[in-house]
mmCIF file of all heavy atoms in Angstrom:
data_model
loop_
_atom_site.group_PDB
_atom_site.id
_atom_site.type_symbol
_atom_site.label_atom_id
_atom_site.label_comp_id
_atom_site.label_asym_id
_atom_site.label_seq_id
_atom_site.Cartn_x
_atom_site.Cartn_y
_atom_site.Cartn_z
ATOM 1 N N SER A 702 5.515 -13.008 -6.990
ATOM 2 C CA SER A 702 5.280 -14.468 -6.987
ATOM 3 C C SER A 702 6.437 -15.136 -6.241
ATOM 4 O O SER A 702 7.570 -14.741 -6.324
ATOM 5 C CB SER A 702 5.220 -15.004 -8.433
ATOM 6 O OG SER A 702 6.374 -14.717 -9.124
ATOM 7 N N GLY A 703 6.110 -16.196 -5.470
ATOM 8 C CA GLY A 703 7.109 -16.877 -4.719
ATOM 9 C C GLY A 703 7.260 -16.332 -3.314
ATOM 10 O O GLY A 703 7.986 -16.905 -2.480
ATOM 11 N N GLN A 704 6.634 -15.197 -3.022
ATOM 12 C CA GLN A 704 6.732 -14.580 -1.729
ATOM 13 C C GLN A 704 5.393 -14.726 -0.979
ATOM 14 O O GLN A 704 4.374 -14.750 -1.690
ATOM 15 C CB GLN A 704 7.077 -13.110 -1.849
ATOM 16 C CG GLN A 704 7.319 -12.411 -0.560
ATOM 17 C CD GLN A 704 7.767 -10.930 -0.743
ATOM 18 O OE1 GLN A 704 8.423 -10.655 -1.798
ATOM 19 N NE2 GLN A 704 7.428 -10.113 0.123
ATOM 20 N N GLU A 705 5.395 -14.775 0.346
ATOM 21 C CA GLU A 705 4.167 -14.924 1.107
ATOM 22 C C GLU A 705 3.307 -13.645 0.817
ATOM 23 O O GLU A 705 3.841 -12.603 0.599
ATOM 24 C CB GLU A 705 4.471 -15.083 2.559
ATOM 25 C CG GLU A 705 5.332 -16.302 2.846
ATOM 26 C CD GLU A 705 4.893 -16.954 4.155
ATOM 27 O OE1 GLU A 705 3.898 -16.588 4.774
ATOM 28 O OE2 GLU A 705 5.618 -17.909 4.492
ATOM 29 N N PRO A 706 1.997 -13.813 0.915
ATOM 30 C CA PRO A 706 1.094 -12.711 0.621
ATOM 31 C C PRO A 706 1.246 -11.572 1.658
ATOM 32 O O PRO A 706 1.621 -11.811 2.807
ATOM 33 C CB PRO A 706 -0.272 -13.292 0.654
ATOM 34 C CG PRO A 706 -0.175 -14.575 1.384
ATOM 35 C CD PRO A 706 1.203 -15.052 1.169
ATOM 36 N N VAL A 707 0.910 -10.374 1.236
ATOM 37 C CA VAL A 707 0.972 -9.200 2.125
ATOM 38 C C VAL A 707 -0.244 -9.278 3.101
ATOM 39 O O VAL A 707 -1.335 -9.571 2.655
ATOM 40 C CB VAL A 707 0.888 -7.888 1.304
ATOM 41 C CG1 VAL A 707 0.840 -6.715 2.168
ATOM 42 C CG2 VAL A 707 2.051 -7.834 0.356
ATOM 43 N N LEU A 708 0.010 -9.015 4.401
ATOM 44 C CA LEU A 708 -1.062 -9.083 5.385
ATOM 45 C C LEU A 708 -1.097 -7.726 6.086
ATOM 46 O O LEU A 708 -0.089 -7.065 6.259
ATOM 47 C CB LEU A 708 -0.820 -10.168 6.394
ATOM 48 C CG LEU A 708 -0.764 -11.607 5.877
ATOM 49 C CD1 LEU A 708 -0.369 -12.551 6.984
ATOM 50 C CD2 LEU A 708 -2.109 -11.996 5.297
ATOM 51 N N THR A 709 -2.278 -7.381 6.555
ATOM 52 C CA THR A 709 -2.453 -6.227 7.398
ATOM 53 C C THR A 709 -2.444 -6.646 8.841
ATOM 54 O O THR A 709 -3.229 -7.529 9.244
ATOM 55 C CB THR A 709 -3.763 -5.476 7.087
ATOM 56 O OG1 THR A 709 -3.758 -5.117 5.687
ATOM 57 C CG2 THR A 709 -3.973 -4.289 7.934
ATOM 58 N N LEU A 710 -1.595 -6.075 9.628
ATOM 59 C CA LEU A 710 -1.491 -6.488 11.028
ATOM 60 C C LEU A 710 -2.636 -5.982 11.849
ATOM 61 O O LEU A 710 -2.991 -4.830 11.768
ATOM 62 C CB LEU A 710 -0.115 -5.917 11.614
ATOM 63 C CG LEU A 710 0.201 -6.300 13.005
ATOM 64 C CD1 LEU A 710 0.358 -7.809 13.157
ATOM 65 C CD2 LEU A 710 1.487 -5.615 13.475
ATOM 66 N N SER A 711 -3.194 -6.861 12.623
ATOM 67 C CA SER A 711 -4.345 -6.468 13.493
ATOM 68 C C SER A 711 -4.260 -7.333 14.745
ATOM 69 O O SER A 711 -3.443 -8.167 14.884
ATOM 70 C CB SER A 711 -5.724 -6.739 12.752
ATOM 71 O OG SER A 711 -5.905 -8.120 12.572
ATOM 72 N N GLU A 712 -5.149 -7.019 15.666
ATOM 73 C CA GLU A 712 -5.114 -7.778 16.978
ATOM 74 C C GLU A 712 -5.400 -9.249 16.711
ATOM 75 O O GLU A 712 -4.938 -10.119 17.423
ATOM 76 C CB GLU A 712 -6.173 -7.166 17.904
ATOM 77 C CG GLU A 712 -5.752 -5.830 18.445
ATOM 78 C CD GLU A 712 -6.762 -5.264 19.441
ATOM 79 O OE1 GLU A 712 -7.564 -6.067 20.046
ATOM 80 O OE2 GLU A 712 -6.811 -4.039 19.613
ATOM 81 N N SER A 713 -6.243 -9.593 15.721
ATOM 82 C CA SER A 713 -6.610 -10.979 15.488
ATOM 83 C C SER A 713 -5.478 -11.804 14.894
ATOM 84 O O SER A 713 -5.470 -13.016 15.038
ATOM 85 C CB SER A 713 -7.850 -11.005 14.556
ATOM 86 O OG SER A 713 -7.506 -10.455 13.328
ATOM 87 N N ASN A 714 -4.518 -11.177 14.238
ATOM 88 C CA ASN A 714 -3.456 -11.968 13.602
ATOM 89 C C ASN A 714 -2.077 -11.639 14.150
ATOM 90 O O ASN A 714 -1.074 -11.940 13.562
ATOM 91 C CB ASN A 714 -3.474 -11.809 12.098
ATOM 92 C CG ASN A 714 -3.183 -10.459 11.585
ATOM 93 O OD1 ASN A 714 -2.889 -9.509 12.367
ATOM 94 N ND2 ASN A 714 -3.143 -10.262 10.297
ATOM 95 N N ALA A 715 -1.988 -11.000 15.318
ATOM 96 C CA ALA A 715 -0.705 -10.629 15.917
ATOM 97 C C ALA A 715 0.109 -11.877 16.217
ATOM 98 O O ALA A 715 1.330 -11.871 16.090
ATOM 99 C CB ALA A 715 -0.925 -9.823 17.167
ATOM 100 N N GLY A 716 -0.464 -13.011 16.650
ATOM 101 C CA GLY A 716 0.251 -14.238 16.923
ATOM 102 C C GLY A 716 0.876 -14.828 15.644
ATOM 103 O O GLY A 716 2.027 -15.307 15.670
ATOM 104 N N ASP A 717 0.173 -14.729 14.530
ATOM 105 C CA ASP A 717 0.752 -15.212 13.286
ATOM 106 C C ASP A 717 1.954 -14.342 12.882
ATOM 107 O O ASP A 717 2.950 -14.873 12.382
ATOM 108 C CB ASP A 717 -0.315 -15.127 12.169
ATOM 109 C CG ASP A 717 -1.459 -16.063 12.368
ATOM 110 O OD1 ASP A 717 -1.317 -17.053 13.156
ATOM 111 O OD2 ASP A 717 -2.597 -15.811 11.798
ATOM 112 N N PHE A 718 1.853 -13.029 13.110
ATOM 113 C CA PHE A 718 2.965 -12.167 12.815
ATOM 114 C C PHE A 718 4.168 -12.521 13.724
ATOM 115 O O PHE A 718 5.309 -12.631 13.172
ATOM 116 C CB PHE A 718 2.586 -10.700 13.055
ATOM 117 C CG PHE A 718 3.724 -9.765 12.933
ATOM 118 C CD1 PHE A 718 4.229 -9.408 11.670
ATOM 119 C CD2 PHE A 718 4.317 -9.209 14.054
ATOM 120 C CE1 PHE A 718 5.315 -8.541 11.577
ATOM 121 C CE2 PHE A 718 5.383 -8.382 13.964
ATOM 122 C CZ PHE A 718 5.897 -7.995 12.742
ATOM 123 N N GLU A 719 3.953 -12.739 14.959
ATOM 124 C CA GLU A 719 5.064 -13.149 15.849
ATOM 125 C C GLU A 719 5.714 -14.414 15.436
ATOM 126 O O GLU A 719 6.958 -14.499 15.371
ATOM 127 C CB GLU A 719 4.535 -13.205 17.263
ATOM 128 C CG GLU A 719 5.579 -13.433 18.310
ATOM 129 C CD GLU A 719 5.096 -13.485 19.707
ATOM 130 O OE1 GLU A 719 3.915 -13.181 19.908
ATOM 131 O OE2 GLU A 719 5.887 -13.882 20.608
ATOM 132 N N LYS A 720 4.934 -15.397 15.041
ATOM 133 C CA LYS A 720 5.486 -16.667 14.588
ATOM 134 C C LYS A 720 6.345 -16.481 13.326
ATOM 135 O O LYS A 720 7.431 -17.039 13.188
ATOM 136 C CB LYS A 720 4.399 -17.733 14.363
ATOM 137 C CG LYS A 720 3.766 -18.282 15.586
ATOM 138 C CD LYS A 720 2.605 -19.187 15.237
ATOM 139 C CE LYS A 720 1.778 -19.532 16.479
ATOM 140 N NZ LYS A 720 0.609 -20.258 16.154
ATOM 141 N N ALA A 721 5.837 -15.702 12.399
ATOM 142 C CA ALA A 721 6.581 -15.462 11.129
ATOM 143 C C ALA A 721 7.797 -14.657 11.387
ATOM 144 O O ALA A 721 8.858 -14.930 10.789
ATOM 145 C CB ALA A 721 5.683 -14.732 10.142
ATOM 146 N N PHE A 722 7.767 -13.696 12.267
ATOM 147 C CA PHE A 722 8.941 -12.871 12.609
ATOM 148 C C PHE A 722 10.011 -13.647 13.256
ATOM 149 O O PHE A 722 11.187 -13.481 12.956
ATOM 150 C CB PHE A 722 8.471 -11.704 13.484
ATOM 151 C CG PHE A 722 9.532 -10.646 13.679
ATOM 152 C CD1 PHE A 722 9.690 -9.667 12.739
ATOM 153 C CD2 PHE A 722 10.379 -10.599 14.846
ATOM 154 C CE1 PHE A 722 10.676 -8.660 12.891
ATOM 155 C CE2 PHE A 722 11.302 -9.709 14.988
ATOM 156 C CZ PHE A 722 11.489 -8.697 14.041
ATOM 157 N N ASP A 723 9.637 -14.572 14.148
ATOM 158 C CA ASP A 723 10.629 -15.366 14.864
ATOM 159 C C ASP A 723 10.981 -16.698 14.213
ATOM 160 O O ASP A 723 11.677 -17.507 14.732
ATOM 161 C CB ASP A 723 10.140 -15.701 16.269
ATOM 162 C CG ASP A 723 10.037 -14.436 17.152
ATOM 163 O OD1 ASP A 723 10.779 -13.465 16.840
ATOM 164 O OD2 ASP A 723 9.268 -14.453 18.082
ATOM 165 N N GLY A 724 10.472 -16.900 12.946
ATOM 166 C CA GLY A 724 10.591 -18.164 12.252
ATOM 167 C C GLY A 724 11.991 -18.664 12.065
ATOM 168 O O GLY A 724 12.300 -19.785 12.327
ATOM 169 N N GLU A 725 12.871 -17.849 11.581
ATOM 170 C CA GLU A 725 14.254 -18.245 11.261
ATOM 171 C C GLU A 725 15.218 -17.288 11.984
ATOM 172 O O GLU A 725 15.148 -16.116 11.756
ATOM 173 C CB GLU A 725 14.513 -18.307 9.791
ATOM 174 C CG GLU A 725 13.660 -19.302 9.044
ATOM 175 C CD GLU A 725 14.006 -19.357 7.582
ATOM 176 O OE1 GLU A 725 15.229 -19.273 7.257
ATOM 177 O OE2 GLU A 725 13.073 -19.455 6.746
ATOM 178 N N ALA A 726 16.081 -17.838 12.795
ATOM 179 C CA ALA A 726 16.995 -17.014 13.575
ATOM 180 C C ALA A 726 18.046 -16.292 12.750
ATOM 181 O O ALA A 726 18.502 -15.232 13.103
ATOM 182 C CB ALA A 726 17.607 -17.838 14.689
ATOM 183 N N GLY A 727 18.526 -16.933 11.643
ATOM 184 C CA GLY A 727 19.623 -16.395 10.918
ATOM 185 C C GLY A 727 19.250 -15.412 9.836
ATOM 186 O O GLY A 727 20.090 -15.031 9.043
ATOM 187 N N VAL A 728 17.986 -15.001 9.724
ATOM 188 C CA VAL A 728 17.539 -14.158 8.670
ATOM 189 C C VAL A 728 17.334 -12.783 9.146
ATOM 190 O O VAL A 728 16.743 -12.577 10.181
ATOM 191 C CB VAL A 728 16.224 -14.708 8.054
ATOM 192 C CG1 VAL A 728 15.630 -13.859 6.978
ATOM 193 C CG2 VAL A 728 16.389 -16.158 7.579
ATOM 194 N N PRO A 729 17.811 -11.701 8.441
ATOM 195 C CA PRO A 729 17.602 -10.379 8.843
ATOM 196 C C PRO A 729 16.018 -10.092 8.884
ATOM 197 O O PRO A 729 15.319 -10.560 8.055
ATOM 198 C CB PRO A 729 18.268 -9.482 7.814
ATOM 199 C CG PRO A 729 19.128 -10.398 7.081
ATOM 200 C CD PRO A 729 18.555 -11.780 7.235
ATOM 201 N N ARG A 730 15.640 -9.229 9.780
ATOM 202 C CA ARG A 730 14.219 -8.861 9.879
ATOM 203 C C ARG A 730 14.058 -7.326 9.846
ATOM 204 O O ARG A 730 14.885 -6.625 10.333
ATOM 205 C CB ARG A 730 13.615 -9.394 11.215
ATOM 206 C CG ARG A 730 13.740 -10.882 11.343
ATOM 207 C CD ARG A 730 13.299 -11.331 12.690
ATOM 208 N NE ARG A 730 13.624 -12.722 12.857
ATOM 209 C CZ ARG A 730 14.421 -13.178 13.767
ATOM 210 N NH1 ARG A 730 15.074 -12.390 14.559
ATOM 211 N NH2 ARG A 730 14.666 -14.482 13.843
ATOM 212 N N LEU A 731 12.921 -6.926 9.307
ATOM 213 C CA LEU A 731 12.625 -5.519 9.244
ATOM 214 C C LEU A 731 11.124 -5.320 9.417
ATOM 215 O O LEU A 731 10.348 -6.002 8.789
ATOM 216 C CB LEU A 731 13.031 -4.924 7.884
ATOM 217 C CG LEU A 731 12.643 -3.475 7.565
ATOM 218 C CD1 LEU A 731 13.419 -2.507 8.567
ATOM 219 C CD2 LEU A 731 12.919 -3.129 6.168
ATOM 220 N N VAL A 732 10.746 -4.420 10.332
ATOM 221 C CA VAL A 732 9.347 -4.130 10.538
ATOM 222 C C VAL A 732 9.199 -2.615 10.199
ATOM 223 O O VAL A 732 9.924 -1.766 10.735
ATOM 224 C CB VAL A 732 8.893 -4.417 11.979
ATOM 225 C CG1 VAL A 732 7.482 -3.968 12.164
ATOM 226 C CG2 VAL A 732 9.081 -5.857 12.302
ATOM 227 N N LEU A 733 8.280 -2.327 9.313
ATOM 228 C CA LEU A 733 8.010 -0.953 8.921
ATOM 229 C C LEU A 733 6.600 -0.585 9.360
ATOM 230 O O LEU A 733 5.616 -1.208 8.892
ATOM 231 C CB LEU A 733 8.193 -0.798 7.403
ATOM 232 C CG LEU A 733 7.867 0.557 6.826
ATOM 233 C CD1 LEU A 733 8.895 1.575 7.346
ATOM 234 C CD2 LEU A 733 7.973 0.480 5.335
#
Side-chain angles (χ1 to χ4, degrees):
S702 61
Q704 184 175 332
E705 300 217 8
V707 176
L708 298 175
T709 300
L710 185 60
S711 67
E712 289 181 24
S713 63
N714 67 359
D717 295 339
F718 172 76
E719 186 177 350
K720 287 177 191 171
F722 189 81
D723 293 337
E725 295 183 41
V728 177
R730 300 174 188 115
L731 174 68
V732 176
L733 178 64

